[in-house]
Amino acid sequence: MTTSFSDVPMHKQEDELLPFELNYIPEFILRKKEEELNGIQADKQKCLQELKDLLDGHKLSIGIDFEDDFLHMYLMHHKYRVDRAFSFIRNYLNLRKNHGYLFRKVDFDFTVIPACQFATVLPYRCQDGSVTVLCELGKLDPDKTGLEPLKKILFMIYQQELRNPVTQIAGFNIIHDFAGTGFRHLKYCTPSLMYLVNHLTVDIFPAKYSGFHLVNGNYLMNLLINLIKPLMPEEFRRIIYVHSSPEDLLNHFPRSVLPVKYGGKLTDYYAADWLRKANEQQDNFPAGGQKNIF
């Protein structure tokens, strides 16, 4: 029987953590991939060619030279169901058409501006290899941070980290911290932005999600849940966790993964170097996607 992350004692998880930045695929991640694709009889190269043929015949994608890594990422996510991968890539191409700014870098060093340091990846992966993205929404300053840089930063984090084969297999954990949010942040709570966030999460990113964790809740959190939850499929709604205290995160994460303010051990966790590098690599993101980072 396969052991899940939640079945592993926390003290054991502490001993098996991987760093966020990896340039190899650990053996247990490869086994996980094989288990998830077990029983799929599809010829992967045939599926890749079928997907390319569909894209060659679609008005949005005619003439685009797609990276094989990029297409394989979508195929793997959909267990080599070519029709589903094709649907997600069409959504991606429509996003490029309607929100082209997301595929360009932030044109200033946002990592040195406190109001832009609201989102980061954390330095260690969980025991199952998954990445944790922390969004400290109270750091946003509506008077200093416009919507476009905010959207670019969030989009860039997921788009660039999905180039890591380990993350393609193991997925993401998301922590949304609402401490310090208030009425002034309501300008970010537009239905169009909530729709875009949901559309990216559900219909475009070929990403796995282990859980969406909400801490330090208030009326703003409740408003966002009411706006976005009805748009999400049941499989996503089941993994939304509203925590009564920040320390409840320790029931889901090893202590070494979390910042001190959540009962963890991390004091310095903002990934400025990685974010700057990812921002540069995001610049002029080609329509055909990018290669895996290794």
Side-chain angles (χ1 to χ4, degrees):
M1 184 175 71
T2 302
T3 300
S4 72
F5 176 47
S6 59
D7 295 329
V8 179
M10 283 296 175
H11 68 83
K12 185 177 180 182
Q13 293 176 20
E14 294 285 347
D15 296 333
E16 299 181 1
L17 299 182
L18 294 167
F20 161 66
E21 294 196 68
L22 286 176
N23 59 4
Y24 72 98
I25 305 179
E27 185 62 33
F28 79 92
I29 294 290
L30 289 173
R31 290 197 301 269
K32 180 176 182 177
K33 178 181 178 181
E34 291 170 2
E35 290 171 3
E36 291 180 352
L37 297 179
N38 186 34
I40 296 176
Q41 303 299 322
D43 182 324
K44 295 178 182 178
Q45 286 304 120
K46 182 180 178 181
C47 288
L48 178 63
Q49 189 56 54
E50 288 178 5
L51 180 56
K52 287 182 175 180
D53 290 343
L54 286 172
L55 292 166
D56 283 344
H58 193 274
K59 61 182 181 180
L60 282 173
S61 47
I62 289 176
I64 297 176
D65 184 17
F66 287 95
E67 288 285 352
D68 284 0
D69 284 347
F70 185 73
L71 298 182
H72 271 302
M73 175 174 63
Y74 279 93
L75 285 166
M76 184 178 70
H77 180 69
H78 295 290
K79 298 186 177 180
Y80 289 88
R81 287 181 54 190
V82 175
D83 58 335
R84 290 292 295 155
F86 180 50
S87 175
F88 265 53
I89 293 173
R90 289 203 314 270
N91 291 338
Y92 152 79
L93 292 170
N94 274 310
L95 180 75
R96 290 189 64 95
K97 179 180 177 181
N98 298 320
H99 297 275
Y101 60 89
L102 290 174
F103 298 86
R104 297 187 293 272
K105 71 176 182 178
V106 180
D107 58 6
F108 57 89
D109 186 0
F110 62 89
T111 66
V112 300
I113 300 174
C116 292
Q117 296 173 353
F118 68 96
T120 188
V121 289
L122 294 181
Y124 295 101
R125 293 171 181 266
C126 288
Q127 186 267 351
D128 62 352
S130 57
V131 168
T132 301
V133 178
L134 172 62
C135 296
E136 298 171 280
L137 303 175
K139 290 184 176 180
L140 287 168
D141 186 337
D143 297 325
K144 297 179 181 178
T145 312
L147 273 175
E148 185 169 307
L150 179 156
K151 290 187 282 188
K152 280 184 173 182
I153 291 168
L154 285 174
F155 184 80
M156 170 268 295
I157 288 174
Y158 292 100
Q159 190 73 68
Q160 288 301 317
E161 182 50 28
L162 277 171
R163 296 174 61 205
N164 190 313
V166 177
T167 306
Q168 291 171 15
I169 300 167
F172 293 91
N173 311 284
I174 319 298
I175 300 174
H176 291 292
D177 185 349
F178 287 85
T181 58
F183 283 109
R184 65 197 184 104
H185 292 94
L186 285 174
K187 69 174 292 184
Y188 293 131
C189 302
T190 64
S192 61
L193 179 58
M194 294 304 101
Y195 172 80
L196 178 61
V197 170
N198 180 77
H199 187 46
L200 288 169
T201 305
V202 176
D203 303 318
I204 295 178
F205 287 142
K208 294 174 58 178
Y209 302 96
S210 298
F212 302 93
H213 299 267
L214 284 58
V215 298
N216 294 314
N218 54 23
Y219 74 91
L220 184 65
M221 183 189 79
N222 294 329
L223 173 63
L224 292 179
I225 289 177
N226 290 333
L227 282 172
I228 205 167
K229 202 170 183 178
L231 302 173
M232 304 183 89
E234 178 59 29
E235 64 191 90
F236 280 67
R237 293 199 293 269
R238 284 198 302 266
I239 57 173
I240 296 176
Y241 303 98
V242 179
H243 298 287
S244 58
S245 70
E247 290 77 12
D248 284 350
L249 290 170
L250 292 171
N251 294 321
H252 298 264
F253 296 88
R255 193 177 297 275
S256 295
V257 168
L258 296 173
V260 169
K261 63 183 177 179
Y262 307 127
K265 295 182 178 180
L266 297 177
T267 55
D268 182 16
Y269 57 85
Y270 184 66
D273 290 343
W274 182 84
L275 288 163
R276 281 193 292 267
K277 180 173 66 175
N279 188 46
E280 288 300 322
Q281 293 174 340
Q282 182 71 11
D283 195 26
N284 293 317
F285 191 101
Q290 294 174 315
K291 292 183 179 181
N292 290 344
I293 59 174
F294 64 87

